[in-house]
Amino acid sequence: MVRIRTRDEILRVAAELFTRYGFKGTSLHDIAAEVGCSKATLLYHFAHKDAILLALVEPARQSLIDLVARLAGVDDKGVRDAAIDGFVDLVLRYRREVALIYDVTPQFLQEPAFDRVRELTDALVAGFAGRSADPADQTAAKVVLGGIAAVVIDDKTDAVELRPALVAVARRALIPGKD
Amino acid sequence: MVRIRTRDEILRVAAELFTRYGFKGTSLHDIAAEVGCSKATLLYHFAHKDAILLALVEPARQSLIDLVARLAGVDDKGVRDAAIDGFVDLVLRYRREVALIYDVTPQFLQEPAFDRVRELTDALVAGFAGRSADPADQTAAKVVLGGIAAVVIDDKTDAVELRPALVAVARRALIPGKD
DNA sequence: TCAGAATCTGACCGAGCGGTCAGGAACAAT
DNA sequence: ATTGTTCCTGACCGCTCGGTCAGATTCTGA
């Protein structure tokens, strides 16, 4: 039987501390103390500190990419809207899990993986805003989804870029019925 | 004639770097290099690194407090709404200037000054949401203003607390006519 | 029982951090 | 010219950080 409880516990604790104090605000010592193991143990399970973050983010990122790929191949409006709703749902989960990204080194943000995410969120903002003709809805979508997806639109160039943001409660606020 | 150009330049550069890389992501060395002076010069003009952040935030924080104080003394709906608009405007500016707060040490966030800000933003969210009967508007206001004001509402307790967030473009998105 | 793999650790390292300090350089007033 | 003040700096300090490593401990399968 393979021992993975420690590894899982590290991920659980790291997610909590990253969300609360940010990536840079959480040291390996902090995580190790909370897990109840040594710092060296963390680095036995994960090659670098960044690897912990990557392990946390990867699943949600994959789901996000998959859904957008499916979404792109659908024309029926009802199906498309449902897919978009699912997308928003995923983005919210993604957002929660990646709340920490803002804190990461610039080099890290420039990884190809995040270029991909940037494209996807760009498409998301455009697609979601397109569901309503009301300009207010569109701007609202930009702000809400932009915030949720850790994306901002540049004042002048209209370029979409990853940005620090933490809107962990957005799910609850966005879906009023759910309580 | 008093020499304050260096001090101003430090504030300008610090604001830029804090916004781009976060408070913890910006070292005194980084600021000094960009300004073109020594690290020691920074600490001649500002006692601590935190003092630079405080100097950047203080003006907007004061305006915000003043406006809310005025707002509290008005009953006329038109005047009140106008004041709220001004409030939102200020919050947006405040948000832009305090984009960096998210990155600050927990102790710093617990300063009395930020308790005050927390109360104010709490009142803001409640007040703004009250302008429309539409529940969607209210939730939107919570998300948008919550994000802008660097505030989140706790899932369970409904408590409002300062939070990491960066929505520098919110002004543009929130005020569609303005372009 | 025992060999080997998997898991874990304390001690240690170099780098970068915020901050201190004694003193040099520029400027103003006399 | 001198004195005092303001502004600035290099050298240095203690600390924390992420990361390494040799070796102890625990688990597993034959």
Side-chain angles (χ1 to χ4, degrees):
Chain A
M1 187 190 175
V2 189
R3 271 281 244 138
I4 51 166
R5 277 189 314 199
T6 301
R7 193 176 187 280
D8 288 349
E9 184 66 6
I10 290 169
L11 287 177
R12 194 189 63 78
V13 167
E16 187 183 321
L17 295 184
F18 286 168
T19 304
R20 179 143 24 165
Y21 303 110
F23 184 75
K24 280 176 193 149
T26 305
S27 71
L28 293 180
H29 175 270
D30 295 337
I31 301 172
E34 187 69 21
V35 170
C37 69
S38 77
K39 206 178 62 174
T41 300
L42 300 186
L43 294 161
Y44 167 75
H45 288 285
F46 301 93
H48 321 281
K49 189 190 181 190
D50 285 357
I52 302 178
L53 182 59
L54 275 177
L56 285 171
V57 165
E58 186 53 27
R61 195 178 69 83
Q62 265 309 326
S63 307
L64 216 151
I65 289 174
D66 292 348
L67 183 57
V68 173
R70 268 186 286 144
L71 185 63
V74 170
D75 274 341
D76 179 279
K77 189 170 182 307
V79 175
R80 186 168 157 276
D81 282 357
I84 288 178
D85 285 339
F87 195 4
V88 170
D89 190 64
L90 265 175
V91 167
L92 291 174
R93 278 201 301 158
Y94 179 77
R95 194 64 207 85
R96 181 187 298 257
E97 290 175 47
V98 193
L100 12 131
I101 280 186
Y102 70 83
D103 217 9
V104 136
T105 58
Q107 303 98 291
F108 193 81
L109 280 180
Q110 278 160 18
E111 271 196 8
F114 287 101
D115 280 329
R116 187 94 187 85
V117 171
R118 208 172 306 147
E119 293 169 23
L120 297 179
T121 41
D122 197 344
L124 166 68
V125 170
F128 191 81
R131 291 176 67 187
S132 167
D134 189 336
D137 279 2
Q138 297 189 17
T139 54
K142 275 191 184 182
V143 175
V144 174
L145 292 176
I148 290 161
V151 163
V152 293
I153 300 100
D154 185 86
D155 269 277
K156 291 160 193 165
T157 67
D158 246 290
V160 175
E161 54 174 337
L162 277 178
R163 266 297 186 180
L166 180 61
V167 195
V169 291
R171 167 197 288 273
R172 180 170 170 279
L174 248 193
I175 310 168
K178 228 175 194 178
D179 216 358
Chain B
M1 186 189 175
V2 188
R3 272 280 245 140
I4 50 164
R5 278 189 315 201
T6 301
R7 192 175 186 280
D8 288 349
E9 183 66 6
I10 290 169
L11 288 177
R12 196 189 63 78
V13 168
E16 188 183 321
L17 295 184
F18 285 168
T19 304
R20 179 147 21 167
Y21 303 111
F23 185 75
K24 279 175 194 151
T26 305
S27 71
L28 293 179
H29 172 82
D30 294 338
I31 300 172
E34 187 69 21
V35 170
C37 69
S38 78
K39 207 178 60 175
T41 300
L42 301 186
L43 294 161
Y44 167 74
H45 288 285
F46 301 92
H48 321 281
K49 189 189 181 191
D50 284 358
I52 302 178
L53 181 59
L54 276 177
L56 284 170
V57 164
E58 187 52 28
R61 194 177 70 79
Q62 265 309 326
S63 307
L64 217 150
I65 289 174
D66 292 348
L67 183 56
V68 173
R70 266 186 289 144
L71 185 64
V74 170
D75 274 341
D76 180 278
K77 191 172 180 306
V79 175
R80 187 169 156 276
D81 282 352
I84 287 178
D85 285 341
F87 195 5
V88 170
D89 191 62
L90 264 176
V91 167
L92 291 174
R93 276 200 303 156
Y94 178 77
R95 192 64 207 85
R96 181 186 297 257
E97 291 176 45
V98 192
L100 12 128
I101 280 189
Y102 69 81
D103 218 10
V104 135
T105 57
Q107 303 97 289
F108 192 82
L109 281 180
Q110 280 160 17
E111 270 195 8
F114 288 100
D115 280 329
R116 187 95 185 85
V117 171
R118 208 173 305 149
E119 293 168 23
L120 297 180
T121 42
D122 194 346
L124 167 68
V125 170
F128 191 83
R131 291 178 67 188
S132 167
D134 190 335
D137 279 1
Q138 296 190 16
T139 53
K142 275 192 182 182
V143 175
V144 174
L145 293 176
I148 291 162
V151 164
V152 294
I153 300 100
D154 186 87
D155 269 277
K156 291 160 193 164
T157 66
D158 246 293
V160 176
E161 55 172 338
L162 277 178
R163 265 299 187 181
L166 181 61
V167 194
V169 291
R171 166 195 289 272
R172 180 170 170 279
L174 247 193
I175 310 167
K178 229 176 194 178
D179 216 357

